[in-house]
Amino acid sequence: MTPKVSPGTCLLCRAPVTKQKALKHGMECLQASGWPTGKKPSLLIMIRGRDNKNYWLVVLARHDARLRDLDQLIRDVWVECCGHLSSFEIEGVIYESDAECSTDAMNAPLSHLVSPGSMFSYDYDFGSTTSLDLKVIGETPVAPLNALLGLIARNDRPVIPCDLCGGEAGFALDDPDGEIPRYYCRECLASAGCDPEYVGIIANSPRSGVCGYAEDPAAALPWYPPGWSADEIVPDELDDALDEIAFDDEIEIETSIAAVIQDIGPDIDAFVEAEKAAYGEEAACMAGESVMAFCTFMHALYGLTIDAWGALSVQRCLVDELSQNPVFPEDWPENAVPILCRFLTHMEASGRLTNASGLIAALEESEPAFQKAATSPEKSLALFRRILVKAQEAGIDTNDMDAFFNFTMREIVRMAGMDPDSEEVQKELSSLLADELLKSGADDLRAATILVQCTDFCNRFEDDTILDRCREIIRDIFDHPAAPLSRGDVVLWSAAIVYVACREANLIRSGRGGSSLTQDIGFFFGFERSSIQNKAKVLKKLLSGR
């Protein structure tokens, strides 16, 4: 049940206010603010989350502010994540962002459409929609300072209890494998062992937890009155805590490696030598890396030395952790469990284990699940998405296959636990990058990039029908004799593939002006409708020639 009192803060004087008293307090503060008087009265607009009315804003809008200005404020403060379309509905009329018509509907002045007492609505993202209710709650002669619009009050950051200690949480774990998010305070987060990739700051927004939304205090700051800082909107200590998770994780792995070496380092070396004598150099290398990784995970996750290993812990470590090895030889998934079983037998023979047979039975029972997880397309896609995001953050042009390929190789080496800048690894990388057979993987890289882009767009649909068709199209043109994927902009290819899949599913209607989905595709991928349609025509010709 929504509480009757929704606490907030006056952004002018920083006094606590409630949603119910925000108008009266705001009017008094504006009169005392020394802000200029407008030529015409300014509007005071209350904006609330439709599904959770504890999220609210009070906005001061100058008489000549336009719908587009209000749309931008809402995006910057509350909802922007992927450049989705948005719309206002006022008295039954829809005003869409960048509507394809001679006059942009969002350019309409607010004062021509609403007045005190008017109620209207706003939707952002027509897939995973965030809906807001707006009401003009008053007017004042005071105008915003040096702007058309500005915030004057806002709800306080929501208080959500930590799942572990019951204190105030600051972080949410949105693990895709979990049904509901989990919440942690800073102290419990540090001890929870969460994957930093899925942890985010609890956003003060009705879009929290939707479509990867993350609060952007730098974008929100220009809409605040003078004197505020980004750190006051989203405290730096929350960002610092997220950084510490990743840093602590690296330290923990290094500590665990050292502990394993100290405990059974000589035994591992002896086992690797035995593998070399029996199976050769390459097999010994695979055995050493597999055993060292497994032992490190067992120590890092469970704090277990080898004499304390149990059937359940080795099964969980095998399926949940070792299977996520980012780079491995083609025959590794079928050899990893036999290697570990031989290692256990070796350790029992050396007197370090007494329960090898039970552990071996547990590993063999979980081998099918391990192989499935190790070779899962979803795992590969998730891994590549992480690399793609890092490349974009590093300013790598993903259309420059040489630069992108080199960056990807370095990231894979880093994920495998090696230092890509060490002299030994550098020599190995140089040798690999000079291999023409490996270079042919550039086309695979382009195809993977396109699939990730298509997948991210298709997340808005209720099922995988469109995504499955995108996969089929990518596979068909990847195998095309003309090798079309080796040329052109990968993002434009992605947009065209999604467009064709949606047209085939009758989600995009023919005719002048296209549809809102066409506009959404253009916004998401950053291309004009005409460019996407032209590329789609090329794509259709390629597909028809198969």
Side-chain angles (χ1 to χ4, degrees):
M1 181 179 295
T2 302
K4 292 183 179 180
V5 176
S6 181
T9 299
C10 171
L11 304 181
L12 296 167
C13 71
R14 306 196 181 214
V17 295
T18 63
K19 180 172 60 178
Q20 292 75 8
K21 297 181 179 180
L23 174 61
K24 180 177 183 296
H25 180 97
M27 294 282 276
E28 294 172 351
C29 253
L30 285 170
Q31 290 293 336
S33 67
W35 286 11
T37 299
K39 295 180 180 179
K40 296 180 180 179
S42 299
L43 299 176
L44 285 160
I45 303 171
M46 171 75 75
I47 309 174
R48 301 182 301 181
R50 181 172 301 167
D51 296 326
N52 189 335
K53 293 179 171 53
N54 286 328
Y55 293 106
W56 54 271
L57 306 171
V58 178
V59 174
L60 179 66
R62 209 168 73 182
H63 70 91
D64 53 346
R66 300 179 181 274
L67 278 179
R68 175 167 302 285
D69 304 315
L70 184 56
D71 175 54
Q72 193 61 55
L73 181 148
I74 293 171
R75 286 171 177 267
D76 289 343
V77 176
W78 257 6
V79 300
E80 184 60 86
C81 62
C82 303
H84 296 296
L85 290 174
S86 59
S87 68
F88 290 96
E89 181 174 353
I90 304 174
E91 295 185 352
V93 179
I94 304 295
Y95 301 83
E96 283 193 2
S97 58
D98 287 306
E100 293 182 357
C101 55
S102 58
T103 303
D104 189 344
M106 283 279 192
N107 279 332
L110 272 168
S111 59
H112 292 185
L113 302 172
V114 296
S115 58
S118 294
M119 300 176 68
F120 53 115
S121 65
Y122 175 88
D123 288 328
Y124 175 82
D125 180 5
F126 303 144
S128 302
T129 307
T130 296
S131 298
L132 309 176
D133 293 322
L134 299 88
K135 181 178 181 179
V136 182
I137 56 175
E139 60 180 11
T140 174
V142 180
L145 188 64
N146 303 320
L148 293 172
L149 288 162
L151 295 174
I152 65 167
R154 182 179 187 177
N155 70 280
D156 291 338
R157 189 167 292 277
V159 177
I160 298 176
C162 172
D163 287 342
L164 296 182
C165 72
E168 183 175 349
F171 306 91
L173 173 66
D174 289 311
D175 190 330
D177 295 329
E179 295 183 1
I180 57 174
R182 297 185 63 82
Y183 300 102
Y184 299 99
C185 65
R186 179 169 183 164
E187 290 73 20
C188 291
L189 181 68
S191 61
C194 301
D195 186 340
E197 183 179 355
Y198 301 119
V199 177
I201 297 168
I202 297 173
N204 188 9
S205 160
R207 196 163 175 80
S208 182
V210 179
C211 191
Y213 172 78
E215 208 167 350
D216 185 352
L221 185 60
W223 302 103
Y224 273 64
W228 284 84
S229 67
D231 176 43
E232 292 173 300
I233 300 173
V234 178
D236 277 346
E237 64 182 39
L238 298 179
D239 276 327
D240 292 343
L242 290 181
D243 291 339
E244 287 172 7
I245 297 175
F247 183 66
D248 289 345
D249 190 51
E250 293 177 6
I251 293 175
E252 184 179 6
I253 292 296
E254 293 176 1
T255 302
S256 295
I257 291 173
V260 168
I261 292 173
Q262 182 176 2
D263 182 32
I264 56 173
D267 297 287
I268 294 176
D269 291 341
F271 171 70
V272 172
E273 285 299 318
E275 290 284 292
K276 181 178 178 180
Y279 304 103
E281 185 77 39
E282 288 189 15
C285 182
M286 184 190 298
E289 291 177 356
S290 300
V291 167
M292 191 66 205
F294 190 83
C295 293
T296 300
F297 282 132
M298 288 296 292
H299 186 278
L301 295 171
Y302 311 111
L304 296 177
T305 54
I306 194 167
D307 56 337
W309 288 5
L312 181 59
S313 61
V314 297
Q315 285 182 325
R316 289 176 60 187
C317 185
L318 177 71
V319 177
D320 295 344
E321 307 302 332
L322 193 65
S323 67
Q324 299 307 302
N325 184 2
V327 57
F328 51 78
E330 187 176 353
D331 58 346
W332 178 73
E334 65 190 52
N335 280 296
V337 170
I339 286 171
L340 293 175
C341 291
R342 292 196 297 270
F343 173 67
L344 292 171
T345 300
H346 172 85
M347 295 303 287
E348 188 170 61
S350 68
R352 293 302 307 271
L353 273 179
T354 59
N355 60 337
S357 59
L359 298 179
I360 289 171
L363 290 175
E364 289 176 341
E365 180 184 349
S366 298
E367 186 173 12
F370 161 75
Q371 291 186 2
K372 181 179 179 180
T375 57
S376 163
E378 287 75 17
K379 169 198 162 184
S380 299
L381 195 63
L383 169 65
F384 182 73
R385 180 180 283 106
R386 291 170 63 183
I387 295 174
L388 180 60
V389 169
K390 287 188 175 183
Q392 291 169 339
E393 290 175 346
I396 302 297
D397 181 0
T398 52
N399 286 308
D400 182 345
M401 277 297 109
D402 285 338
F404 189 26
F405 190 76
N406 289 352
F407 180 88
T408 299
M409 290 296 295
R410 287 176 58 84
E411 281 303 307
I412 290 175
V413 166
R414 195 189 311 277
M415 290 177 180
M418 295 178 282
D419 180 5
D421 294 317
S422 76
E423 185 175 345
E424 182 179 350
V425 174
Q426 282 282 353
K427 289 180 180 179
E428 186 66 23
L429 269 178
S430 298
S431 175
L432 287 172
L433 293 173
D435 189 326
E436 289 303 316
L437 181 62
L438 189 62
K439 274 291 190 181
S440 67
D443 286 342
D444 295 302
L445 198 60
R446 287 177 67 87
T449 303
I450 291 169
L451 178 57
V452 167
Q453 302 268 8
C454 292
T455 302
D456 289 344
F457 182 87
C458 291
N459 284 336
R460 68 195 60 215
F461 299 118
E462 292 183 357
D463 58 38
D464 290 338
T465 302
I466 301 300
L467 178 57
D468 288 343
R469 178 54 183 146
C470 288
R471 287 195 181 102
E472 292 174 359
I473 294 172
I474 293 169
R475 183 175 62 248
D476 287 345
I477 59 174
F478 180 81
D479 293 334
H480 196 281
L485 284 188
S486 64
R487 304 177 300 278
D489 190 293
V490 292
V491 181
L492 183 55
W493 270 119
S494 307
I497 290 167
V498 168
Y499 181 86
V500 168
C502 290
R503 280 294 300 269
E504 291 178 351
N506 295 317
L507 297 180
I508 295 176
R509 65 177 184 271
S510 302
R512 187 169 177 267
S515 70
S516 60
L517 185 55
T518 304
Q519 299 168 34
D520 214 0
I521 293 171
F523 262 93
F524 185 88
F525 292 104
F527 283 94
E528 296 291 334
R529 178 168 58 92
S530 58
S531 299
I532 297 172
Q533 290 177 330
N534 287 337
K535 195 69 170 180
K537 291 177 183 177
V538 173
L539 179 57
K540 292 292 286 184
K541 288 182 180 179
L542 290 167
L543 294 173
S544 64
R546 294 293 292 162

